Amino acid sequence: MSPRGRDDAQYVEVAGRRVRLTNLDRVLYPGTGFTKAEMIQYYSQVADVILPQLKDRPVTRIRFPDTVEDERFFEKNVPAGAPDWLRHRVLHANPDDEDATEVDFPFLDDLAGLVWAANAGAVELHTPQWRVGPRGKVHHPDRLVIDLDPGPPAGLDECARVAHLVADRLEEDGLVDTYPVTSGSKGMQLYAPLDGKRTATQVREYAREVAGALAAAHPKLVLANMKRDLRPGKVLLDWSQNHAAKTTVTPYSLRGRALPMVAAPRDWEEIEPGLRQLGPDEVVRRLEDDGDLLADLRRT
């Protein structure tokens, strides 16, 4: 990227596109001093692996106008002032309901789109489990996700135990490849690629059945019921994120928590006691050493 411009606002050339940058020295994470410029640098460093995860998926952003300790808001629509080159499309917020509210969703197709979103304070990028075709058709989900949400005092150690239980059950049902991602927050997600033959409703109901069966088999550890008063000490298997209207934090996205952490793909050998969340510098180093652990989850 080559900077051009004056004063605080400047324009950079990113892959042939002109992107406006502002307030690069703004501290996003007061606990560490991590700045907006560092966020843009991180997303630039992981562009080759996060873009395949974002490809053809409408992006919901969690934006932080100031710091991660201050106001945040979810943004689905393309905001005023978005660049002309940004791809966007009007879709139903719930693709399974033709009467649902329509949303003008953006798609982040390239590094320029990532930099544009980061400059707008979009720390977190969230996407659904389905993609949109070139003519606007919403396809059936191409992956299943189960979110493992620990209720304190349960934590990542308990999530690691439950993750293996979930993976074993999915393998029994023919989903032999499951990919763990520590969420950058409290818990983790498990992804399994699908052949695209089942609707979002069918996938959601299957995930619900898996969660219910595991909760029945391991009642002291696993929970499938969303009621908050049941969560302490257990790991909730959130099957609902497979709903057509819901999104999950995109792998490799930063999280807007007290410390800069990442929704980080992990190797199954790491899913054991002592598991911890990873920061952006660690994720970049791991990419250099091990490559993209989600390469096989990409659509060909």
Side-chain angles (χ1 to χ4, degrees), residues 20-31:
R20 184 173 184 264
L21 301 182
T22 58
N23 302 318
L24 293 177
D25 60 351
R26 175 161 60 89
V27 173
L28 281 172
Y29 296 82

Side-chain angles (χ1 to χ4, degrees), residues 138-154:
V138 174
H139 295 294
H140 291 334
D142 62 352
R143 63 190 187 188
L144 171 146
V145 63
I146 295 182
D147 183 76
L148 281 64
D149 184 7

Side-chain angles (χ1 to χ4, degrees), residues 84 124 129 159 167 175 218 232 247 252 255 262 278 282 293:
D84 292 341
E124 296 193 14
Q129 309 316 313
C159 284
L175 298 176
H218 306 276
T247 61
Y252 293 108
R255 304 304 305 271
V262 174
L278 298 179
E282 293 173 296
L293 297 180

Side-chain angles (χ1 to χ4, degrees), residues 1 8-9 20-29 33-44 63-67 114-123 254:
M1 295 186 292
D8 176 63
R20 184 173 184 264
L21 301 182
T22 58
N23 302 318
L24 293 177
D25 60 351
R26 175 161 60 89
V27 173
L28 281 172
Y29 296 82
F34 191 88
T35 66
K36 184 175 171 182
E38 290 176 288
M39 176 172 69
I40 292 173
Q41 180 184 29
Y42 167 74
Y43 276 122
S44 298
R63 290 177 56 184
F64 295 80
D66 195 1
T67 81
L114 277 178
V115 172
W116 165 79
N119 181 67
V123 174
L254 281 163

Side-chain angles (χ1 to χ4, degrees), residues 28 89 248 260 285:
L28 281 172
R89 182 175 286 276
T248 305
R285 286 198 299 270

